[in-house]
Amino acid sequence: MPTYRDEAVVLRTHKLGEADRIVTMLSREHGKIRAVAKGVRRTASKFGARLEPFMVADIQCYIGRSLDIIQQAESLGSYGSEITSDYASYTAASVMVETADKVTDDDGSLQQYLLLVGALRSLARREHNPSLTLDSYLLRSLSIAGWAPSFVDCAVTGAPGPHSVFVAQMGGVVADEVAPPGSPRLSQDTLELLGALLAGTWDVAEASDERSRAQASGVVAAYTQFHLERSLRSIQHVDRSA
């Protein structure tokens, strides 16, 4: 049977029969893959451990009729145990993989793959606050998908900023003359934080205060769920206290 090999990050898994598992992965070159890992639930095996959520693996599959079959899996990034040992990191990673699943189609996206792997690696290494890492990931993922928010110039008219009224449905901050009545205003500190998270300016993001982070997180969550046109089940469990 025809086979292929690729790098992939595991997004989710679910049981199949008594011993098998269906693994949904975002791969580097073959897009989104749904494949069967046979026998991994029958015994505790290294093979099964390499195919848990948040893990990055070099996989070899052969093409099946409806689902591919995973023949081999070698670990490239063992992020699962490090992420799941910290609740804030685990909840952030759960939102990341759910988002990646929803913003990519079967053809996948190399940029989305690289972004997700980098974000999971950062969480596992405790490089930044998990909440900040999540918000930065969401803003960048949406930007790759074609929904880059504006945090300076008006998203509707293009009028130079700064503007403080944020409307998710309009694509970011907007000038007062086009803002719907009652639209929320963001503080300048929050806008600077959002811009830093989008650009990956971590010294600015890490220096932000708790109030700005809380306001920014609310904005990112609202913007993400509006553009995905559906709720993220995992986002309600995110630990923002870290």
Side-chain angles (χ1 to χ4, degrees), residues 41-238:
R41 292 171 45 228
R42 186 171 292 134
T43 58
S45 66
K46 291 183 179 180
F47 178 63
R50 294 167 186 155
L51 296 171
E52 293 291 339
F54 320 136
M55 302 292 279
V56 182
D58 183 332
I59 60 168
Q60 180 173 306
C61 302
Y62 69 77
I63 300 174
R65 293 182 179 178
S66 57
L67 295 172
D68 297 346
I69 307 297
I70 303 172
Q71 294 176 301
Q72 297 178 11
E74 297 296 331
S75 178
L76 295 176
S78 299
Y79 307 134
S81 60
E82 294 296 328
I83 288 174
T84 55
S85 66
D86 177 70
Y87 185 71
S89 296
Y90 169 72
T91 56
S94 297
V95 177
M96 290 176 184
V97 295
E98 185 181 356
T99 300
D101 196 6
K102 290 181 176 179
V103 299
T104 55
D105 55 22
D106 289 343
D107 292 334
S109 163
L110 175 59
Q111 287 181 291
Q112 293 284 3
Y113 169 79
L114 294 174
L115 177 68
L116 178 60
V117 171
L120 293 175
R121 182 190 302 118
S122 180
L123 282 177
R125 294 177 178 176
R126 310 287 193 264
E127 292 178 351
H128 307 291
N129 176 284
S131 182
L132 292 177
T133 302
L134 171 61
D135 289 340
S136 179
Y137 167 80
L138 291 173
L139 290 174
R140 294 187 191 189
S141 179
L142 291 172
S143 296
I144 293 170
W147 301 310
S150 174
F151 296 128
V152 180
D153 297 337
C154 177
V156 176
T157 67
H163 302 288
S164 62
V165 178
F166 184 88
V167 185
Q169 299 89 326
M170 291 182 168
V173 293
V174 296
D176 288 351
E177 56 266 27
V178 297
S183 299
R185 290 186 181 273
L186 304 182
S187 70
Q188 185 58 38
D189 287 344
T190 299
L191 289 169
E192 289 179 0
L193 171 58
L194 288 166
L197 292 172
L198 180 58
T201 311
W202 286 105
D203 55 340
V204 174
E206 294 284 6
S208 60
D209 59 35
E210 186 175 339
R211 182 176 181 180
S212 298
R213 294 185 185 189
Q215 190 175 44
S217 293
V219 167
V220 174
Y223 191 78
T224 300
Q225 297 195 90
F226 171 77
H227 283 287
L228 293 181
E229 297 181 348
R230 68 193 86 175
S231 62
L232 291 168
R233 289 178 297 176
S234 53
I235 204 166
Q236 62 183 311
H237 302 297
V238 172

